[in-house]
DNA sequence: CGTCCGCTTGACTCAGATCAAACTTGGTGG
DNA sequence: CCACCAAGTTTGATCTGAGTCAAGCGGACG
């Protein structure tokens, strides 16, 4: 788990904090002094529009980095919130940047993580451009499968999957049913068989 | 323009190619030897689903890097296509990685670019989660505006804007009209005034 | 044993997609 | 300088499929 790796590498420039109620880690506009990593639970990036609506820009899960963009910006662009029950690793921004400058291999690894994220985010956007629920599901599954694979074990819940691809769970279940009826996939619980 | 910067830094490990018809830069599954940058025109990342449907995973514009993920992967995950009329910078993968390893500042800069992209992509996804065209437009504009700004000059066309936020141009124009009628914005050509 | 949550299905509604058509703008080339 | 073509802009009519609300089932977990 790279969050743990980071904790070791940074030594005293890192620590872990635990929150048993929702807690604001930073406010939009604050000067950036830290980057974070989620070790347990969730953390959210949130933005308030000028009309007062709240939009969640990102939900980080256990194992993921959080607010990486802080490294490259003088102030935060969103509010950062640790959700009740979360354990959050806190890294000194300057120490991180130093480490990247000094250790090329580390910098490359960090870039790799970011590149992976960019890839996944892009795929997700293109996915959501598909109007039809059925196409969207099939495309999402295709993206998650290897080239020749035809079987897939859903990591989370179907409801969660629906959210990830931008559908309501009802729409998802109905589309799944149609896909099964037209023999484009078979499923049993959370295990999926493509084609036939 | 950072693509140009890269060309200088990499010297003989970089070159520019021009394409007057659509051209496949690389196929999915090919070993990765190059990363690219778009200097003019467009390049697409494309994937073919097992049902034969084509999905465009990414459309890179002039000035953007293209297929950065190739740096961290042994083979391409998509097909890469230079659109007719494009000028594409071609960078040796190994030279890029070397440079990043050796030059910490360069690595940090590269990460910064990626971080910026991640931010924009995330915002975009959250944007598309909004059902209402009006909310979507207002939120998109809010994201592009500075905190206190109230005026904005649209960089591209309205039609392009519609695509970026996942609406048809018809839906966009109609929603704009409603927003104007309810005095939530005013516009004149491509210049926009929020509120009143 | 009760509660929570994921799962599943039904009925209805509506906002945005789609198809169509006209007008404007801008740029190209003769 | 004007004719012309391509692309953006604007509006109308219609339709459809996903959202919403509602309700019931079953398994997990304390």
């Amino acid at each position: 788990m790279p969050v743990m790796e980071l904790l070791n590498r940074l030594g005293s420039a890192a620590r872990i904090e635990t929150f048993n109620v929702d807690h604001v880690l930073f406010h939009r506009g604050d000067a950036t002094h830290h980057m974070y990593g989620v070790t347990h639970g969730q953390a959210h990036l949130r933005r308030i529009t000028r009309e007062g609506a709240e939009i969640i820009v990102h939900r980080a899960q256990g194992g993921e980095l959080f607010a990486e963009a802080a490294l490259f910006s003088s102030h935060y662009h969103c509010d950062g919130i640790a959700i009740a029950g979360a354990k959050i690793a806190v890294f000194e921004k300057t120490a991180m940047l130093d480490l990247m400058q000094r250790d090329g291999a580390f910098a490359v690894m960090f870039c790799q993580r970011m590149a992976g994220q960019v890839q996944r985010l892009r795929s997700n956007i293109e996915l959501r451009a598909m109007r039809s629920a059925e196409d969207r599901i099939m495309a999402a599954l295709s993206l998650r499968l290897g080239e020749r694979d035809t079987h897939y074990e859903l990591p989370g819940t179907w409801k969660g999957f629906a959210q990830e691809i931008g559908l309501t769970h009802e729409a998802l279940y109905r589309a799944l049913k149609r896909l099964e009826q037209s023999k484009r996939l078979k499923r049993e619980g959370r295990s999926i068989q493509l084609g036939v």
Side-chain angles (χ1 to χ4, degrees), chain A:
Chain A
M1 191 178 304
V3 172
M4 290 311 171
E5 240 180 272
L6 261 181
L7 279 167
N8 294 334
R9 292 295 297 266
L10 288 176
S12 67
R15 63 178 191 278
I16 290 197
E17 294 188 0
T18 306
F19 303 95
N20 35 26
V21 296
D22 288 7
H23 179 260
V24 179
L25 296 168
F26 51 83
H27 288 95
R28 179 176 186 181
D30 287 353
T32 50
H33 295 123
H34 300 102
M35 192 200 81
Y36 303 83
V38 182
T39 62
H40 287 290
Q42 280 200 339
H44 291 182
L45 282 180
R46 178 186 69 180
R47 218 177 248 242
I48 312 286
T49 69
R50 70 192 62 212
E51 276 118 14
E54 165 179 319
I55 78 179
I56 304 296
V57 176
H58 182 54
R59 299 162 210 267
Q61 309 280 332
E64 293 183 72
L65 297 181
F66 182 65
E68 322 87 306
L71 293 181
F72 311 107
S73 170
S74 62
H75 63 279
Y76 294 101
H77 294 66
C78 303
D79 301 331
I81 297 158
I83 301 304
K87 288 184 189 179
I88 307 288
V90 185
F91 308 112
E92 301 283 345
K93 168 182 170 182
T94 52
M96 282 288 305
L97 286 174
D98 276 7
L99 186 52
M100 279 179 64
Q101 295 257 10
R102 242 196 321 278
D103 183 344
F106 173 75
V108 170
M109 202 196 78
F110 194 86
C111 277
Q112 180 166 14
R113 273 185 94 75
M114 303 287 279
Q117 280 207 45
V118 168
Q119 232 180 327
R120 259 170 290 126
L121 288 168
R122 281 216 270 262
S123 303
N124 198 278
I125 286 181
E126 294 302 324
L127 214 58
R128 286 162 191 254
M130 302 190 185
R131 311 280 167 217
S132 143
E134 285 154 52
D135 291 353
R136 205 127 118 205
I137 292 167
M138 292 308 282
L141 292 176
S142 286
L143 283 173
R144 286 159 181 242
L145 256 54
E147 181 65 355
R148 297 265 163 259
D149 263 351
T150 177
H151 178 270
Y152 182 60
E153 204 68 35
L154 198 72
T157 69
W158 281 107
K159 203 173 171 182
F161 181 68
Q163 270 210 29
E164 280 173 56
I165 66 175
L167 290 175
T168 60
H169 57 281
E170 295 100 322
L172 174 73
Y173 291 127
R174 285 192 247 270
L176 280 174
K177 196 200 259 184
R178 290 196 297 271
L179 287 169
E180 285 193 283
Q181 279 166 359
S182 59
K183 312 265 187 221
R184 279 183 286 170
L185 67 76
K186 209 163 51 177
R187 87 192 149 108
E188 213 172 305
R190 286 167 190 173
S191 124
I192 303 133
Q193 189 71 35
L194 273 280
V196 176

